[in-house]
Amino acid sequence: MMNTSFRNKRNGFETISPDGNPIPNIPLKKLAVIAVIVIAALILIFNSAYQIGEQEQAVLITFGQASSVTEPGLHLKIPFIQQVRKVNTTIQGFSIGYDQYSNISNEEESLMITSDYNFVNVDFFVEYRFSDPVKAVFASDEPVEILKNISMSCIRNVIGSYPVDDVLTTGKNEIQAAIKESILLKLEEQDLGIQLVNITIQDSEPPTQEVMEAFKAVETAKQGKETALNNANKYRNEQIPLAQARADAIIQDAEAQKTARINEAIAQVARFNAMYEEYVKNPEITRERMFYEAMEEILPDLKVVIESPNGNVQTFYPLESFADFGTSTDTQQ
């Protein structure tokens, strides 16, 4: 090992090398000064640079004047003169009426009164983002808290203008839209550099179990009503085309029968006119022929023998073959 020894000097310590030659040392005061300079330099270096993330913007403050820095990455500033305030520009949110982490209800925020003087518990979730970092930093110390207060005020005003049935069942979408519009108007007046993205009703229910069960029964009845109406409309939509098709078929059949009857009547008229023309020419012969034809239709299976006044057989009706006619004549004779 290297053998060294120390001896006191007026301004500090002196190190003696193995060969006996003294090694000069830096005095303690100089060491302290160097240490202070190094620390100050490190402080200056660390205070002159800052980092902006992808989802952040920064506000650079110089003698009270603010400017926004939107480019992500490493940036420089003047230490002790310029200050940097970072703002998260992603969509963030908070709950009203319950704790979003433990899901425990907060009735001081959720309990509200409706236009028909009923109490309801309504939970909301508000989504927002910082649209102007400079205004978000300088317009107020707590822009998110101001947004929450504005939201609660608008919520109570809108809920108070609707009956309990709308709040619990059918009017939620309309209520959400009205609340959002009201909040946007107030934020525009305040100009806080914070933007409302959306507000939604997470849950709404009566404050007591008995009332809750009653409203559930009402909701079930309404759903049953809607189901019955839907089924009735479905049945109507199915039956109306069938009835229309049957009606069209009946009308078409009637039109066909009408046409057939007309054509038949026209044919009968034509036949009658033709027969009348023959009748005018030979009335007696036509009457006899018509008589014979009528008898043939009335008595198709009977044989009619027509005799002359002197007792001789003249003819048969219906007419038979000549052979049968001859045989029958001989028989009759």
Side-chain angles (χ1 to χ4, degrees):
M1 294 178 63
M2 182 181 293
N3 186 16
T4 58
S5 61
F6 299 91
R7 61 183 179 181
N8 291 325
K9 297 290 289 181
R10 180 182 303 174
N11 295 326
F13 295 95
E14 186 179 67
T15 303
I16 305 300
S17 64
D19 56 4
N21 296 323
I23 300 174
N25 284 325
I26 301 174
L28 291 178
K29 290 183 178 180
K30 290 184 178 181
L31 285 174
V33 171
I34 292 172
V36 170
I37 292 173
V38 171
I39 293 172
L42 292 175
I43 292 174
L44 290 175
I45 291 172
F46 282 108
N47 280 306
S48 62
Y50 61 95
Q51 181 79 21
I52 299 179
E54 289 290 337
Q55 304 295 333
E56 291 181 329
Q57 291 186 14
V59 179
L60 185 63
I61 304 172
T62 306
F63 297 114
Q65 298 295 324
S67 61
S68 62
V69 181
T70 60
E71 293 295 328
L74 186 65
H75 298 268
L76 298 176
K77 66 181 180 69
I78 302 174
F80 306 109
I81 295 177
Q82 293 181 317
Q83 297 179 353
V84 175
R85 299 275 297 275
K86 295 181 181 180
V87 176
N88 186 354
T89 57
T90 59
I91 295 177
Q92 305 174 71
F94 57 84
S95 58
I96 296 177
Y98 70 102
D99 189 308
Q100 61 180 331
Y101 302 105
S102 63
N103 205 28
I104 297 176
S105 178
N106 181 2
E107 288 197 354
E108 291 184 359
E109 295 179 353
S110 65
L111 188 62
M112 304 176 195
I113 188 170
T114 61
S115 63
D116 50 358
Y117 305 105
N118 284 291
F119 288 97
V120 289
N121 283 326
V122 190
D123 300 332
F124 289 85
F125 190 79
V126 180
E127 295 177 285
Y128 68 92
R129 61 182 294 273
F130 290 106
S131 56
D132 190 330
V134 175
K135 291 180 180 179
V137 170
F138 280 90
S140 67
D141 292 334
E142 297 291 341
V144 177
E145 191 65 26
I146 294 176
L147 173 61
K148 185 173 183 178
N149 292 334
I150 291 175
S151 300
M152 292 178 64
S153 174
C154 294
I155 287 170
R156 293 186 181 279
N157 287 337
V158 173
I159 293 293
S161 63
Y162 282 85
V164 65
D165 192 50
D166 289 348
V167 177
L168 295 176
T169 56
T170 59
K172 291 182 179 179
N173 292 332
E174 183 179 346
I175 290 172
Q176 286 178 176
I179 292 173
K180 183 175 182 180
E181 182 179 359
S182 179
I183 294 174
L184 290 175
L185 290 175
K186 289 186 177 296
L187 284 179
E188 186 177 354
E189 295 174 359
Q190 297 290 334
D191 197 17
L192 299 173
I194 192 170
Q195 175 186 0
L196 176 69
V197 177
N198 197 18
I199 181 168
T200 55
I201 297 177
Q202 299 296 100
D203 192 17
S204 59
E205 60 185 13
T208 62
Q209 187 65 30
E210 292 80 5
V211 178
M212 189 183 304
E213 293 297 330
F215 274 104
K216 286 182 179 178
V218 172
E219 181 65 18
T220 302
K222 287 185 176 180
Q223 291 177 357
K225 172 187 173 183
E226 292 296 328
T227 302
L229 287 175
N230 291 335
N231 291 335
N233 289 330
K234 179 182 178 183
Y235 179 78
R236 181 190 65 182
N237 294 334
E238 292 174 351
Q239 293 302 316
I240 287 178
L242 293 176
Q244 188 65 43
R246 287 195 295 268
D248 292 340
I250 293 172
I251 291 173
Q252 291 175 1
D253 184 62
E255 291 291 338
Q257 291 185 20
K258 170 187 173 183
T259 303
R261 294 289 180 85
I262 291 173
N263 293 334
E264 182 180 357
I266 292 173
Q268 289 179 355
V269 169
R271 187 166 59 250
F272 178 81
N273 289 333
M275 187 180 298
Y276 180 73
E277 291 177 0
E278 296 297 326
Y279 174 80
V280 171
K281 294 177 182 179
N282 300 292
E284 294 297 331
I285 296 174
T286 303
R287 277 198 299 269
E288 289 182 3
R289 182 172 61 83
M290 292 176 64
F291 173 76
Y292 296 153
E293 289 177 354
M295 294 303 293
E296 183 180 7
E297 291 180 0
I298 297 171
L299 305 171
D301 297 329
L302 297 179
K303 294 181 180 180
V304 179
V305 179
I306 301 174
E307 298 181 354
S308 64
N310 57 9
N312 295 325
V313 176
Q314 293 182 346
T315 185
F316 281 100
Y317 188 83
L319 295 177
E320 297 180 348
S321 65
F322 291 107
D324 292 340
F325 178 78
T327 305
S328 299
T329 304
D330 295 339
T331 303
Q332 293 295 331
Q333 290 177 352

